Amino acid sequence: MEMLGPRVWSSVRQGLNRGLSRNVGGWASGEGRKVDIAGIYPAVTTPFTATAEVDYGKLEENLHKLGNIPFRGFLVQGSNGEFPFLASNERLEVVSCARQAMPKDKLLLAGSGCESTQATVEMTVSMAQVGADAALVVTPSYYRGRMSSAALIHHYTKVADHSPIPVVLYSVPANTGLDLPVDAVVTLSQHPNIVGIKDSGGDVTRIGLMVHKTRRQDFQVLAGSAGFLLASYAVGAVGGVCALANVLGAQVCQLERLCLTGQWEDAQKLQLRLIEPNTAVTRRFGIPGLKKTMEWFGYYGGPCRAPLQELSPAEEEALRLAFTNNGWL
Amino acid sequence: MEMLGPRVWSSVRQGLNRGLSRNVGGWASGEGRKVDIAGIYPAVTTPFTATAEVDYGKLEENLHKLGNIPFRGFLVQGSNGEFPFLASNERLEVVSCARQAMPKDKLLLAGSGCESTQATVEMTVSMAQVGADAALVVTPSYYRGRMSSAALIHHYTKVADHSPIPVVLYSVPANTGLDLPVDAVVTLSQHPNIVGIKDSGGDVTRIGLMVHKTRRQDFQVLAGSAGFLLASYAVGAVGGVCALANVLGAQVCQLERLCLTGQWEDAQKLQLRLIEPNTAVTRRFGIPGLKKTMEWFGYYGGPCRAPLQELSPAEEEALRLAFTNNGWL
Amino acid sequence: MEMLGPRVWSSVRQGLNRGLSRNVGGWASGEGRKVDIAGIYPAVTTPFTATAEVDYGKLEENLHKLGNIPFRGFLVQGSNGEFPFLASNERLEVVSCARQAMPKDKLLLAGSGCESTQATVEMTVSMAQVGADAALVVTPSYYRGRMSSAALIHHYTKVADHSPIPVVLYSVPANTGLDLPVDAVVTLSQHPNIVGIKDSGGDVTRIGLMVHKTRRQDFQVLAGSAGFLLASYAVGAVGGVCALANVLGAQVCQLERLCLTGQWEDAQKLQLRLIEPNTAVTRRFGIPGLKKTMEWFGYYGGPCRAPLQELSPAEEEALRLAFTNNGWL
Amino acid sequence: MEMLGPRVWSSVRQGLNRGLSRNVGGWASGEGRKVDIAGIYPAVTTPFTATAEVDYGKLEENLHKLGNIPFRGFLVQGSNGEFPFLASNERLEVVSCARQAMPKDKLLLAGSGCESTQATVEMTVSMAQVGADAALVVTPSYYRGRMSSAALIHHYTKVADHSPIPVVLYSVPANTGLDLPVDAVVTLSQHPNIVGIKDSGGDVTRIGLMVHKTRRQDFQVLAGSAGFLLASYAVGAVGGVCALANVLGAQVCQLERLCLTGQWEDAQKLQLRLIEPNTAVTRRFGIPGLKKTMEWFGYYGGPCRAPLQELSPAEEEALRLAFTNNGWL
């Protein structure tokens, strides 16, 4: 088992301990330990009815089905959750609904990011009150030209200072046009209420660098997509938050298991078969592609809110090919 | 006067008619004429108190001072209005306050864009109810990878269909990472309730192309910044919505006048002196730079909402130089 | 005539003086005046035979036909001259051939840029020896990550120090991925052997800023494309080097004349009809599009060197539409 | 040993066979097997004298020192070899010199890319004649707007058809602004004389996808930088061509060995210590940084050709920190 470093070991141990009682805000207790977020999370979609209302019943159904897969927890209102399209009350109701529908022993990450610091603080506090275990906070980005490291450090520090639950940083340049700078990540990793980062940029050199430069902190790095999950584990990441886990959740968890137990040959084989499907439900066809695929795999997909459009027939066929060509359909 | 084309003429005539009664929704009346939006508009900032509350009193004061300048109207909640940091009720209150504070004969453009189509429709309707004359609708951008021409056409068509006031398209790639494609602009120009575009990208070839391809429509192009205002007039734009007009409003209006009356030599001299100050209060130092400059020119600037940060002393000095070097301070 | 500024006037005067004797290196003479490069230049293509040899006979034929148009001169081996595909001896032979074929009173600009400073110096000297009147020097770009202002200033200073002919800076970010920074342009404008810049980026704010900040130098700005020629004149540029002038040369010169004589209304009409054709033979379909179009207009186009490929039939049709839709075919 | 896949095994076997006789063009023999390029290669710099002449003596010295490290071979005239600054005769002389100076059993990869297809063919043939074992061919990029998959497939096919030695594709977007599209790579992998790709972009998802989609071809993927070497091995790459191997060559080869023998824990530790030094001698400080570092490690660095500039003292200090902070100096 010599291929497992300290971080990896700790998450294997964690794996044996999936029944841990949720210890919300435990980081602040006397023991001085942050919550361990290692593991796999699907980036849950928000189901809508034909008239574009949030369909909480379908959300419950999806979560029940996903509940049988050995995830560490669930992320609601990541980029795949269409959070920019939800009103504040809907954002809280989705968190509340997820908390009720999902197994008690799993972590509920909730995307609480807004453009202003104050709104993000308020949303984070409210999401904690309705059951979120940790808050995933996307970089504000509309004024990206002024989002220096100093501005972002200030933003995240304020949010973490006021949040009753641990904060996970979230860098997703495809949506925000902004990478959270590594130097800012390193500074923020020292905050007692910031426990990690979801990095969706896919630059594994950067992921390795963040692991390396935060190695003396209680700080964990999660891959933001299944396309580079194996590579991220190889450089010290401890899990992933993945759109693909909505449809191939068992396989993503199997990939985690192969990495954690050092079965790199099989891990590589599996990883390679997941790249095309992953790209198809993320960068290439986005949430409409993901929701369409969910229907093929027995989940409720349904429409997106406008302005997101349905796939064209040609796009749908290309989407399907990405799965059939790799033996998943 | 041979240098004035039909579009330019119409706006000179318009200039003689600054007292026109606001004819909200007039486009839908039997006459089939859209509102004329030609002219200069400051992109008004939103004043905040030291505790980051909207300071409506200071907004009124600023508007009163700006009211003496021969603007066509005012834009509230453009990018310089920090609209992504305002709650829904604040957004409406700012419109309402501006409506009360500004001269009756000026147009009130209100930025009503949200990420979802439905929210944008609702915000647009509400802003009309509290006094906006036209709605400026920014491109949704968080899912820019899926914001095809088709998706954007669908979005703007829905908004314009439901809006009781005319809609102005708004393309601002520095903030959104997205250019509203020219083919989408051309299609949308045919909608009876879409009257123009504010283009802040600064690509004058694109501005000329939009003018050219919409020449048979009742559709007007406004420059989104004072840095390329003269060039935009030269290719057929009919006005501008400018951050710089908050501080050098009379000068921006003078530039308009020089362009409309064919005094191109003086126009060029003036334009060249405005480029550096304009860049300083937009791309280079953003809203913090604009608000700081407002204080130098007798307006209320005040703080921005976080995560926007104050300028450093070095930045403030560079900002001042951009004005002093060009004879404005 | 009040719309003409000092720069514009000087070029109108220049226009009356098209018969000026070429005064190679005259900048270094006692009079202390740099050569005046104001005017329009086609960015001449390099004709190839079916077997991809340089076809000097066709080059002569093209230049003879172009010689009847009131250009200020010709540019060979700009980006449209496929210079990166030419061997050193071919580069010199093309200059020599052009010098013989073109009218004696026109300026021959020759693109002499190479990646290394030393090679650029040598090519510039050699091109001067075979008849170039001025050297157009593109920014080196392969190591763009290290091409700071300091590095570029050093490069151009060395070239200008050693060149027996005046040097024109050349910024073309679509090909180089690099904008020559304005601060570097301003510094370089003070060099006695640097007379101007061809800017192909199309950012008219930047063009205006360069005009403004070099206003106390003998330094001239040329638009690098016909798409923003009018706008460039409006902010103080004094000419253009244009791919489109290979096929609509008379029209581009007519646009110059309209700008110089203050007929801005007609200038605008003409400019707007040139944008789509210009984009088609530059950014959209590149040199293969330009060469195909040349055949429609009675010039020799011929093949490009590989790896540039011929247009597909669909591309060719779209290319043609860009001309027919604007009344040019 | 279950973590080794077929590709990895083959390269371990290859490792036992480092003494293989060079079989130039062996791919064309009856056996139908392409050359195996698995392993580590330093991207050798080109030494210059104080007067910017190629210093062949120093090149030999550097290669002799590097010859003791268990590299698979050497790359001359990759991006770190300043090939765009070398004349044709220098390019060949550098290859010839390297062939003489390096051990006979190592592979000599030579960068033979030029902008035109014909020049690339000629350079490739000439380099083969003076001793190159394989040609590394960078994507042409000046006309990147027209470098479609079809154009690039045509280019590489022509080169490979005419080359007497195997061809390795080379994608380096930081220098070229262009990614060789995956679909083009897949098509080209079927050519009998194209044996692999050096990918310097650092997108491990893309690297995995290329491995996966060429898995039925005799085609190998090499990481183009040491920053993502472990991650590349993890998804099926078989080696790397690395600037960093000029200074930490033994360590890069140790990382290879750890990956090939499944010691992933130690591999991770080593990889993480190499990221900062690697970034410092590549993206951050470029060749001037690499050559400066070579001097610290007992090699000849020397100056770069202009326009590349020496590091400033502040840059040099930051460069040194990247090595001292990770225990390498």
Side-chain angles (χ1 to χ4, degrees), chain B residues 2 212-213 265 276 326, chain C residues 2 212-213 265 276 326:
Chain B
E2 78 181 287
H212 186 52
K213 293 184 78 100
E265 180 185 359
E276 283 180 288
N326 288 280
Chain C
E2 77 181 288
H212 186 54
K213 292 183 78 100
E265 180 184 359
E276 281 180 290
N326 289 280

Side-chain angles (χ1 to χ4, degrees), chain D residues 1 4 7-17 257 260-261:
Chain D
M1 297 289 282
L4 301 183
R7 276 167 182 277
V8 175
W9 260 115
S10 104
S11 65
V12 168
R13 265 183 262 113
Q14 182 62 40
L16 306 175
N17 196 16
R257 178 69 25 190
L260 293 182
T261 55

Side-chain angles (χ1 to χ4, degrees), chain A residues 47-64:
Chain A
F48 296 108
T49 66
T51 56
E53 299 299 312
V54 178
D55 192 331
Y56 297 100
K58 295 298 185 188
L59 176 59
E60 285 179 27
E61 282 180 32
N62 283 343
L63 287 169
H64 287 156

Side-chain angles (χ1 to χ4, degrees), chain B residues 55-305:
Chain B
D55 192 330
Y56 296 101
K58 295 298 184 189
L59 176 60
E60 284 179 28
E61 282 180 30
N62 283 343
L63 288 169
H64 286 154
K65 285 180 194 156
L66 292 166
N68 298 320
I69 299 170
F71 295 127
R72 176 72 179 96
F74 299 91
L75 168 68
V76 293
Q77 294 176 58
S79 295
N80 290 294
E82 297 177 61
F83 78 88
F85 297 162
L86 301 183
S88 296
N89 62 316
E90 291 173 328
R91 293 183 71 170
L92 296 179
E93 187 67 18
V94 164
V95 173
S96 178
C97 173
R99 182 71 276 166
Q100 305 309 317
M102 59 186 263
K104 294 290 165 274
D105 62 337
K106 307 227 168 174
L107 280 180
L108 176 55
L109 306 188
S112 67
C114 304
E115 282 289 333
S116 86
T117 305
Q118 185 56 32
T120 306
V121 167
E122 289 168 13
M123 182 60 72
T124 303
V125 170
S126 298
M127 283 180 163
Q129 289 167 345
V130 295
D133 294 321
L136 185 81
V137 180
V138 70
T139 52
S141 66
Y142 193 78
Y143 299 108
R144 66 177 63 87
R146 297 295 297 170
M147 287 301 101
S148 61
S149 278
L152 291 162
I153 289 170
H154 182 271
H155 176 75
Y156 280 109
T157 300
K158 285 285 176 202
V159 173
D161 284 350
H162 291 84
S163 172
I165 51 176
V167 167
V168 179
L169 312 174
Y170 180 22
S171 184
V172 56
N175 291 112
T176 63
L178 186 73
D179 247 334
L180 184 56
V182 170
D183 70 297
V185 173
V186 173
T187 298
L188 290 166
S189 73
Q190 302 166 33
H191 192 289
N193 202 24
I194 294 177
V195 298
I197 184 169
K198 173 188 178 188
D199 193 299
S200 298
D203 178 347
V204 72
T205 305
R206 173 183 151 92
I207 288 173
L209 186 59
M210 290 190 298
V211 168
H212 186 52
K213 293 184 78 100
T214 63
R215 66 192 179 278
R216 298 198 185 87
Q217 309 302 327
D218 238 347
F219 187 82
Q220 296 175 308
V221 178
L222 300 177
S225 186
F228 48 92
L229 184 60
L230 165 57
S232 298
Y233 272 111
V235 298
V238 299
V241 184
C242 309
L244 189 67
N246 282 289
V247 289
L248 294 176
Q251 290 80 354
V252 177
C253 288
Q254 186 188 0
L255 179 54
E256 172 200 30
R257 179 67 27 189
L258 293 170
C259 291
L260 292 182
T261 56
Q263 302 180 67
W264 294 97
E265 180 185 359
D266 287 345
Q268 184 188 114
K269 283 182 191 166
L270 179 53
Q271 172 68 83
L272 295 184
R273 291 174 61 208
L274 295 177
I275 291 178
E276 283 180 288
N278 183 71
T279 301
V281 300
T282 56
R283 198 173 53 201
R284 195 164 171 208
F285 299 120
I287 310 174
L290 176 58
K291 286 189 165 178
K292 173 58 67 182
T293 308
M294 288 177 72
E295 293 174 2
W296 298 338
F297 283 88
Y299 299 93
Y300 179 80
C304 295
R305 280 193 170 165

Side-chain angles (χ1 to χ4, degrees), chain C residues 35-101:
Chain C
V35 64
D36 185 334
I37 58 172
I40 302 296
Y41 306 74
V44 175
T45 60
T46 302
F48 297 107
T49 67
T51 56
E53 299 298 313
V54 178
D55 193 330
Y56 297 101
K58 295 299 185 190
L59 176 58
E60 285 179 28
E61 282 180 32
N62 283 345
L63 288 169
H64 286 156
K65 284 179 195 160
L66 292 167
N68 299 319
I69 300 170
F71 294 127
R72 176 71 178 98
F74 299 91
L75 168 67
V76 294
Q77 293 175 58
S79 296
N80 289 293
E82 295 176 63
F83 77 88
F85 297 163
L86 301 183
S88 295
N89 62 318
E90 291 173 331
R91 292 183 73 169
L92 296 179
E93 187 66 19
V94 163
V95 173
S96 177
C97 173
R99 182 72 273 166
Q100 306 308 317

Side-chain angles (χ1 to χ4, degrees), chain D residues 157-210:
Chain D
T157 299
K158 285 286 176 202
V159 174
D161 283 349
H162 291 85
S163 172
I165 51 176
V167 167
V168 180
L169 312 173
Y170 180 23
S171 184
V172 56
N175 292 112
T176 63
L178 186 72
D179 246 335
L180 184 56
V182 170
D183 70 297
V185 173
V186 172
T187 298
L188 291 166
S189 73
Q190 301 167 33
H191 192 288
N193 202 23
I194 294 176
V195 299
I197 184 169
K198 172 187 178 187
D199 193 300
S200 298
D203 178 347
V204 73
T205 305
R206 174 184 150 91
I207 288 174
L209 187 60
M210 290 192 296

Side-chain angles (χ1 to χ4, degrees), chain C residues 158-232:
Chain C
K158 285 284 175 203
V159 173
D161 283 348
H162 292 84
S163 172
I165 51 177
V167 167
V168 180
L169 312 174
Y170 180 21
S171 183
V172 56
N175 290 112
T176 63
L178 186 72
D179 248 333
L180 184 56
V182 170
D183 70 298
V185 173
V186 172
T187 298
L188 291 166
S189 72
Q190 302 167 32
H191 192 288
N193 202 24
I194 294 177
V195 297
I197 184 169
K198 173 188 178 187
D199 193 300
S200 298
D203 178 348
V204 73
T205 305
R206 172 183 151 91
I207 288 174
L209 186 60
M210 290 191 297
V211 168
H212 186 54
K213 292 183 78 100
T214 63
R215 66 191 179 279
R216 298 198 185 89
Q217 309 301 327
D218 238 346
F219 186 81
Q220 296 176 308
V221 178
L222 301 176
S225 186
F228 48 93
L229 184 59
L230 165 57
S232 297

